[in-house]
Amino acid sequence: MNNDSIHNGLSDEKMIEKEFGELLSDYKSTKHRKRIEIITKAFNFANQAHKGVKRQSGEPYIMHPLAVAKIVCNEIGLGSTSICSALLHDVVEDTDYTVEDIENIFGPKIAQIVDGLTKISGGIFGDKASAQAENFKKLLLTMSSDIRVILIKIADRLHNMRTLGSLAPNKQLKIAGETLYIYAPLANRLGLHKIKTELENLSFKYEHPEEYATIESKLVATAAEHDDFFREFTAPIRVELDKMGIKYYILARIKSIYSIWNKMQTKHVPFDEIYDLLAVRIIFEPRNIQEELNDCFDIYVAISKIYRSHPDRLRDWVSHPKANGYQALHVTLMAPNGQWTEVQIRSERMNDVAEQGFAAHWKYKEGGGSEDEGELDKWLRTIKEILDDPQPDAIDFLDTIKLNLFASEIFVFTPKGDIKTMPQNSTVLDFAFSPHTDIGSHCIGAKVNHKLVPLSHKLESGDQVEVLTSKSQRVQVQWLSFVTTAKARSKILAILKREQRGFQKRGEILLNEFLLKEDIRPEAVDYDKLLKLHKLKTREELLAAIGGKMIVLGEADRNVLKEKQTSNWKKYLSFSFRTGNKEEQDPKKEERLVEDAPKEKINPKQVLTITDETIQKNYIIATCCNPIPGDDVLGYLDDNGKVTIHKRQCPVAVKLKSSFGNRIIATRWDTHKTLSFLVNLSLKGIDSLGLLNEVTQVISRQLNVNIRRVNIETNDGIFEGQLQLYVHDVDDLKQLISKLLKIPNLKAVTRTED
């Protein structure tokens, strides 16, 4: 062994020792029971098991479990059981030790958590969509046995995101996409707001590095301005709270970079027009636990006397906590500069829950204490119900779960006055399915606030809902178009699937009876003829339609089935015609041509360079998002070896990243303004004489850009237009938008997808 390796070995050991020392020090400063011995034992065991193994970054592997354990301790607030499980989380997967070994040394609880983490290892998503759905189901099932499994998994993902820079670009895109699609909303649902924000920001940083840097520099440039505003705005509030004798501190909360960018995209506004960058947070110590709620409202009344409050923007999450346990009173006040500013009022306990979510409650369970069933357990029960009727399509399954992950809550009342929490945008039908499937499947409408409404009626907070049912009512396919909750959707699909199978069986009997009666021997070709006649695609659809009486077999079916066989010379003529001048219409021939054509060898691990030549020959530009040179893009490698280029934030690309991550290719542009690309622009301004002429002058004469289509409308003095035009790249587009915005009455110019 040379001196360098000895030196590296020593420095590695010191680094590991230092990290473990910090973990113990952090743990000692918590309120948990001090079980130093078992944590030290878990660390020594993991350190020995991973000895000599390095991460992609070159550091010893044990640094990763140590970092995850620190996140679990400091940022999620869990105790020794979780810290030990975090230290051991990769041992079973990456070494020869088994779950039984862990159980023998550390007991059943830690072994169960490590087993849960091993089952969902390697990310939620496997190479195939079905594997991904299976892993996701495992993840949710382990959640219901011990919530610590998912909390440690989120900590594991957070550390992976913090160290993403050492991975290959295609892996970065896959992991960042997966994080934004599943882990960030899951962290949000579990109340881990800080972690959710960091996961979003880190994903955004890797997906759109330039835009991230631009927004970050703008926040730095406006920091002094925000500090001045915060000082002036809070000064009279502090005076009032001091008079009340309340112990408190006030924080400024700046909107996250990802949230700012997201708002810029959805509202089509520049950075300068995001007015809610800063919110104010008042965190107080209640006079006693019984007075906590009253203190919140006393503070609200006091500050509303200083600044005018917005009547429609009071959010009372104190009396009715969110499903993830979040409690606070949100009020929007008019600042002296004429700007609406949100103020969040929370007690210290509420702030703990807001920062650490359910873990803030969970830490009290570490000592074996119990607590009443909370909102989380209700949510987990819903997940288990969905798993009882899993969708065959993995992507459908994920989308169903995501309906619940992303939802905000509303509060509605039953006829007896009980409060029920429902996701925002829930309909009467969602509400009907929430207590019991039978009520949902027989629902014909409802009385909302004593007025009769249809099934699709959207509920609002405060509504009182009485569901009306009828035994003759049956589940309808159309219901899927307006239900929003995962539970309702999965139950409807399950019922429809059962009915469909029944219709298919009945349809098969009816079709066989018809063929027997008409003396027609059933052959595969008969199905093709009937599918063509009824304009259907599959045999199952046909049988279900016959069984469900949507198709009644009759004379037209008899005629098409009894057509005489085409004579041989006609067959020969049709074959000659197809293979003579119309070879391209023969799909099999087309496949052979594709196979014979020389293919560019694609290595998913390398960054793909898109040049002017290769755009036309080798790649497909996705029509769903129409990327142009300069956009942040990625490639998707399909089964035929073709690469489709998508914008990274395109909804289709988001799904591909999270479902087929192993087919994602990192790409970069290397074009030189030889090709033109179609883009869509939306214009808005104040109508004035000659405005359209000024717009076309700038586009055609000054910038020499070709216009493909113009659509202009004016209404009540407002000018709105859609343009389709050709540009070489994003730089051309930015220059064009900049010039257009200099036209006096043109107020907004934004790029749109269509």
Side-chain angles (χ1 to χ4, degrees):
M1 188 184 279
N2 63 31
N3 288 338
D4 276 354
S5 59
I6 293 169
H7 171 73
N8 285 341
L10 286 172
S11 63
D12 281 355
E13 279 172 28
K14 280 183 182 167
M15 182 163 65
I16 293 165
E17 209 176 293
K18 179 176 175 288
E19 192 78 1
F20 179 59
E22 286 177 12
L23 171 64
L24 278 186
S25 169
D26 293 343
Y27 173 64
K28 285 174 188 170
S29 64
T30 68
K31 292 174 185 172
H32 292 286
R33 288 178 297 149
K34 304 299 176 276
R35 299 179 66 204
I36 304 293
E37 194 180 316
I38 194 162
I39 292 174
T40 307
K41 188 176 171 185
F43 162 69
N44 289 331
F45 185 86
N47 193 18
Q48 196 57 44
H50 294 301
K51 206 162 195 66
V53 183
K54 302 274 187 184
R55 291 192 86 209
Q56 290 275 44
S57 59
E59 67 179 14
Y61 193 86
I62 189 66
M63 295 298 282
H64 168 64
L66 274 168
V68 175
K70 280 176 86 171
I71 292 168
V72 162
C73 176
N74 299 333
E75 299 179 54
I76 306 184
L78 298 174
S80 59
T81 304
S82 303
I83 292 169
C84 290
S85 304
L87 288 167
L88 299 164
H89 81 271
D90 280 334
V91 166
V92 173
E93 190 191 358
D94 295 345
T95 74
D96 295 332
Y97 289 106
T98 63
V99 175
E100 287 72 29
D101 294 330
I102 303 289
E103 184 168 355
N104 290 336
I105 301 165
F106 297 99
K109 179 48 72 180
I110 289 173
Q112 183 195 353
I113 296 171
V114 171
D115 186 36
L117 287 159
T118 306
K119 281 177 182 159
I120 53 170
S121 62
I124 288 171
F125 305 100
D127 286 349
K128 296 188 177 75
S130 58
Q132 157 208 334
E134 283 310 311
N135 277 331
F136 194 51
K137 284 180 215 171
K138 282 182 198 167
L139 172 91
L140 294 162
L141 285 168
T142 51
M143 279 173 72
S144 52
S145 62
D146 197 322
I147 190 66
R148 286 174 286 198
V149 172
I150 190 59
L151 293 169
I152 297 166
K153 190 66 192 170
I154 287 171
D156 178 41
R157 175 49 59 113
L158 179 59
H159 185 245
N160 284 336
M161 286 303 295
R162 286 173 177 172
T163 55
L164 200 57
S166 54
L167 295 186
N170 66 317
K171 281 276 176 69
Q172 289 177 350
L173 290 177
K174 172 196 181 296
I175 292 169
E178 187 179 280
T179 299
L180 213 49
Y181 190 73
I182 290 293
Y183 284 94
L186 201 50
N188 186 46
R189 187 67 187 183
L190 294 170
L192 301 167
H193 188 264
K194 267 176 84 172
I195 288 178
K196 167 247 185 191
T197 302
E198 188 177 348
L199 288 173
E200 286 175 343
N201 275 346
L202 287 167
S203 299
F204 177 52
K205 188 178 183 177
Y206 283 99
E207 298 226 289
H208 303 282
E210 285 179 20
E211 290 176 62
Y212 182 93
T214 304
I215 295 172
E216 189 176 40
S217 64
K218 284 181 176 172
L219 281 176
V220 170
T222 55
E225 192 184 312
H226 289 141
D227 288 348
D228 291 344
F229 172 80
F230 177 72
R231 234 179 354 263
E232 287 171 27
F233 181 78
T234 57
I237 291 175
R238 289 176 198 276
V239 171
E240 197 59 38
L241 295 182
D242 289 342
K243 270 190 216 167
M244 292 167 72
I246 287 174
K247 289 181 184 172
Y248 68 91
Y249 56 97
I250 304 182
L251 300 174
R253 192 227 65 192
I254 300 290
K255 208 174 188 67
S256 76
I257 292 176
Y258 173 75
S259 296
I260 292 168
W261 176 78
N262 216 16
K263 194 157 190 180
M264 286 164 67
Q265 300 304 305
T266 51
K267 302 277 186 191
H268 298 298
V269 292
F271 178 88
D272 306 333
E273 288 182 31
I274 306 283
Y275 296 116
D276 60 345
L277 285 176
L278 182 134
V280 172
R281 198 168 279 162
I282 300 171
I283 297 158
F284 68 92
E285 190 184 308
R287 287 169 280 199
N288 58 60
I289 199 67
Q290 287 77 25
E291 292 298 317
E292 190 183 44
L293 191 142
N294 290 338
D295 287 348
C296 278
F297 282 96
D298 287 348
I299 292 170
Y300 161 60
V301 170
I303 63 176
S304 298
K305 287 176 183 168
I306 303 166
Y307 300 118
R308 186 160 60 86
S309 63
H310 194 300
D312 300 327
R313 291 204 208 159
L314 174 66
R315 298 285 177 267
D316 176 10
W317 302 115
V318 174
S319 314
H320 309 294
K322 285 190 181 187
N324 62 15
Y326 178 84
Q327 276 185 290
L329 196 59
H330 290 198
V331 55
T332 303
L333 303 174
M334 175 65 79
N337 65 355
Q339 192 175 312
W340 287 112
T341 303
E342 186 180 73
V343 177
Q344 300 167 359
I345 305 165
R346 304 172 179 173
S347 69
E348 286 175 337
R349 182 193 63 80
M350 292 172 190
N351 195 53
D352 269 355
V353 174
E355 298 290 300
Q356 298 180 334
F358 282 109
H361 303 301
W362 189 267
K363 61 188 175 193
Y364 303 112
K365 276 192 167 185
E366 285 273 332
S370 63
E371 60 182 49
D372 296 336
E373 181 194 71
E375 287 288 344
L376 175 69
D377 299 308
K378 290 180 193 169
W379 181 62
L380 290 173
R381 229 181 27 244
T382 304
I383 295 294
K384 288 182 96 169
E385 283 174 11
I386 293 164
L387 293 171
D388 290 341
D389 290 309
Q391 307 311 315
D393 184 340
I395 307 302
D396 283 356
F397 177 81
L398 282 168
D399 284 347
T400 303
I401 300 294
K402 269 168 59 64
L403 287 175
N404 270 14
L405 292 179
F406 279 118
S408 298
E409 291 80 17
I410 58 168
F411 305 98
V412 292
F413 295 90
T414 66
K416 290 179 181 173
D418 297 328
I419 288 186
K420 278 195 74 78
T421 306
M422 297 290 294
Q424 203 166 17
N425 297 323
S426 288
T427 61
V428 161
L429 195 56
D430 290 309
F431 181 82
F433 271 100
S434 66
H436 201 278
T437 306
D438 274 357
I439 296 172
S441 55
H442 293 112
C443 177
I444 52 170
K447 284 184 180 176
V448 173
N449 305 327
H450 311 293
K451 287 182 184 170
L452 203 59
V453 296
L455 296 175
S456 57
H457 177 83
K458 274 192 185 173
L459 300 174
E460 293 178 5
S461 264
D463 282 347
Q464 189 166 24
V465 188
E466 182 189 346
V467 175
L468 305 173
T469 59
S470 162
K471 283 185 180 173
S472 62
Q473 175 69 296
R474 280 181 41 241
V475 170
Q476 312 288 320
V477 179
Q478 307 89 281
W479 288 6
L480 290 167
S481 64
F482 56 79
V483 289
T484 63
T485 58
K487 181 176 179 178
R489 176 171 287 274
S490 63
K491 292 294 179 193
I492 292 167
L493 283 167
I495 293 165
L496 288 172
K497 218 158 86 184
R498 274 202 302 274
E499 283 187 354
Q500 189 82 342
R501 282 198 294 268
F503 285 146
Q504 283 171 16
K505 280 182 187 170
R506 202 176 310 144
E508 200 162 5
I509 294 164
L510 289 170
L511 179 59
N512 286 334
E513 285 174 356
F514 178 76
L515 294 173
L516 198 68
K517 185 181 156 197
E518 298 298 334
D519 198 23
I520 299 167
R521 203 177 71 200
E523 292 176 15
V525 72
D526 294 335
Y527 277 109
D528 294 338
K529 287 176 182 176
L530 290 173
L531 288 172
K532 196 173 177 185
L533 173 68
H534 295 291
K535 295 184 174 61
L536 295 171
K537 288 180 182 172
T538 65
R539 176 180 171 158
E540 287 74 20
E541 282 179 321
L542 176 70
L543 293 175
I546 295 168
K549 304 283 174 71
M550 286 179 279
I551 292 174
V552 177
L553 297 168
E555 197 174 336
D557 304 277
R558 186 186 308 117
N559 293 342
V560 80
L561 291 171
K562 286 194 169 180
E563 269 180 1
K564 287 179 182 173
Q565 291 288 315
T566 315
S567 60
N568 286 339
W569 69 270
K570 275 190 179 175
K571 276 189 192 172
Y572 177 76
L573 181 65
S574 116
F575 177 77
S576 303
F577 174 73
R578 218 173 58 239
T579 55
N581 299 322
K582 300 276 180 183
E583 275 193 338
E584 71 279 3
Q585 289 183 4
D586 177 359
K588 292 216 169 127
K589 179 74 175 173
E590 205 168 63
E591 273 172 33
R592 287 197 297 278
L593 288 171
V594 168
E595 281 166 21
D596 296 340
K599 281 182 190 167
E600 182 194 19
K601 291 228 170 159
I602 304 292
N603 181 353
K605 291 182 180 176
Q606 290 178 346
V607 179
L608 193 69
T609 302
I610 311 168
T611 64
D612 293 319
E613 288 176 8
T614 55
I615 286 175
Q616 294 166 304
K617 287 184 192 167
N618 303 343
Y619 313 130
I620 301 159
I621 298 292
T623 51
C624 49
C625 54
N626 296 316
I628 66 173
D631 281 330
D632 288 331
V633 289
L634 53 78
Y636 169 70
L637 186 65
D638 67 16
D639 291 331
N640 299 320
K642 275 278 185 188
V643 176
T644 306
I645 308 298
H646 288 270
K647 280 191 202 168
R648 288 181 195 170
Q649 78 267 28
C650 157
V652 175
V654 169
K655 219 168 214 185
L656 292 173
K657 278 178 289 188
S658 53
S659 316
F660 307 101
N662 56 316
R663 294 182 171 206
I664 296 301
I665 298 166
T667 52
R668 67 179 182 86
W669 297 99
D670 184 20
T671 54
H672 302 92
K673 297 188 186 285
T674 58
L675 298 173
S676 291
F677 297 83
L678 198 63
V679 293
N680 300 289
L681 285 185
S682 173
L683 314 179
K684 198 165 187 179
I686 293 152
D687 191 23
S688 61
L689 195 64
L691 182 59
L692 179 59
N693 187 35
E694 282 184 80
V695 169
T696 51
Q697 289 268 2
V698 166
I699 295 171
S700 304
R701 294 210 182 151
Q702 288 186 37
L703 296 170
N704 198 23
V705 171
N706 287 325
I707 301 175
R708 182 184 176 190
R709 196 170 75 215
V710 180
N711 182 23
I712 302 293
E713 284 181 21
T714 59
N715 189 16
D716 290 339
I718 299 296
F719 163 101
E720 287 190 50
Q722 279 74 42
L723 300 179
Q724 263 197 350
L725 36 86
Y726 290 96
V727 295
H728 294 123
D729 53 29
V730 166
D731 289 340
D732 277 8
L733 187 61
K734 283 179 180 168
Q735 189 189 354
L736 172 63
I737 291 173
S738 170
K739 286 263 176 107
L740 286 171
L741 285 169
K742 286 179 182 162
I743 298 172
N745 282 334
L746 203 56
K747 300 300 177 191
V749 181
T750 49
R751 179 180 172 189
T752 56
E753 297 302 342
D754 47 34

